[in-house]
Amino acid sequence: MEIHLIDGTYELFRHYYAVPRARDAGGHEVGAVRGVLASVLAMINGGATHVGVATDHIIESFRNRLWPGYKTGEGIEPELWAQFPLLEEALTELGVAVWPMIEFEADDALAAASAVAARDPEVERVLICTPDKDLAQCVRGTRVVQLIRRTRAIRDEAGVIEKFGVRPASIPDYLALVGDAADGYPGLPGWGAKSSAAVLAKYHHLEAIPADGSLWGVNASQAGALARTLVRDREHALLFRELATLRTDLQLFDSVEELRWKGPRPSFAALGARLDGAVTVTGEPRRT
């Protein structure tokens, strides 16, 4: 069997900026939710049997206590933010396993779910449906992969190495050095993608990188300056790696059979009618 794990937050954002606006009879914006539901149903109709969706019920998480600049919900458009609870309700009524995250993030839920699913010998492949680079750390060979649904591309371990220059296990170290603007931490000054990949391809983790850049033996420009920065900002680097490391110890389900789709709940009909009856609103497309 295959397990499909979906980043509901990413999907809601993607559809909000990609599909026409639509309002239900009460005047509430529901276009993005309707788009995500159609997308999930298309996946099920295409043969997906075991599906789980993770959402950020609250954008802030434990990481905000570790780094004050970490991402928050500030700036999210109210009409988008208001659709998060509706999406969670709609997916639950559809009969899909949903994990609304509060203390942790949707990415943590996807990481934890993939770890549990990968331990099941009956699972042939786990597909983590998101392009998010954070989730690349969860890829394992060709059995746990990322599926970029927009392009239908599969990113296995070889694909992670091709894209980032490091193995999946080194992704948190890589992000600690280069930073992640979307998540709100800057990385270390001077450490770009190429130099970080070159060093980590050889040393894998921050602790193994020699303090003396002349000993690196890799193609990294200004190795001495980079080494001095890493020594000076070591605590920041370790903190950023902690921010980038996804939690796999969350208890979301006991068996992958809990993810098997058995059809919608009887109560889904009313909600489906509400969404189907939503009126498309014409006007200027949204801008990201």
Side-chain angles (χ1 to χ4, degrees):
M1 76 181 76
E2 290 190 333
I3 308 297
H4 289 78
L5 305 174
I6 302 172
D7 184 343
T9 297
Y10 167 77
E11 291 292 337
L12 195 64
F13 270 82
R14 181 168 75 89
H15 283 86
Y16 181 76
Y17 290 105
V19 302
R21 289 172 290 172
R23 298 189 181 279
D24 64 11
H28 303 102
E29 175 66 29
V30 298
V33 170
R34 194 165 64 173
V36 175
L37 279 185
S39 176
V40 173
L41 277 170
M43 177 181 287
I44 292 171
N45 290 333
T49 58
H50 295 70
V51 180
V53 181
T55 63
D56 291 292
H57 189 73
I58 295 176
I59 298 297
E60 290 77 8
S61 71
F62 75 94
R63 292 179 176 87
N64 294 89
R65 297 192 294 272
L66 299 176
W67 179 250
Y70 198 74
K71 67 181 178 183
T72 68
E74 184 179 358
I76 297 179
E77 295 189 38
E79 284 190 340
L80 170 57
W81 186 236
Q83 292 185 72
F84 274 80
L86 178 59
L87 176 64
E88 293 161 3
E89 177 189 1
L91 289 169
T92 300
E93 294 296 304
L94 180 60
V96 172
V98 184
W99 306 303
M101 306 309 294
I102 296 177
E103 173 67 10
F104 301 95
E105 298 180 44
D107 286 355
D108 294 308
L110 295 173
S114 69
V116 173
R119 289 196 291 268
D120 190 320
E122 297 298 318
V123 173
E124 297 173 1
R125 188 166 65 162
V126 180
L127 297 106
I128 306 173
C129 304
T130 178
D132 194 329
K133 54 184 172 292
D134 293 357
L135 271 301
Q137 66 190 266
C138 301
V139 171
R140 298 291 181 269
T142 59
R143 187 160 178 262
V144 180
V145 301
Q146 285 183 277
L147 169 62
I148 293 81
R149 296 183 62 209
R150 191 160 50 88
T151 60
R152 298 184 180 181
I154 295 289
R155 185 180 296 158
D156 58 12
E157 187 159 348
V160 171
I161 295 171
E162 179 181 1
K163 182 170 181 61
F164 299 104
V166 300
R167 294 185 179 278
S170 297
I171 288 294
D173 302 82
Y174 173 85
L175 293 175
L177 294 175
V178 304
D180 189 336
D183 283 346
Y185 57 92
L188 301 192
W191 281 85
K194 290 184 178 179
S195 56
S196 299
V199 175
L200 289 172
K202 180 175 182 179
Y203 294 106
H204 308 299
H205 299 294
L206 299 176
E207 295 87 347
I209 302 174
D212 184 349
S214 66
L215 301 177
W216 287 356
V218 300
N219 185 21
S221 61
Q222 299 183 329
L226 294 178
R228 288 191 294 272
T229 297
L230 181 56
V231 171
R232 183 193 68 204
D233 295 341
R234 178 179 175 81
E235 289 188 8
H236 270 156
L238 295 176
L239 172 59
F240 296 154
R241 184 176 66 180
E242 184 176 358
L243 296 177
T245 300
L246 299 179
R247 297 287 295 269
T248 59
D249 57 344
L250 311 185
Q251 185 61 39
L252 302 174
F253 56 91
D254 295 319
S255 167
V256 293
E257 281 305 300
E258 296 175 43
L259 308 186
R260 182 181 292 277
W261 189 70
K262 300 177 181 178
R265 296 179 177 181
S267 51
F268 177 72
L271 181 57
R274 171 188 168 188
L275 297 176
D276 287 341
V279 177
T280 300
V281 180
T282 59
E284 291 295 321
R286 301 184 184 92
R287 303 292 182 187
T288 56

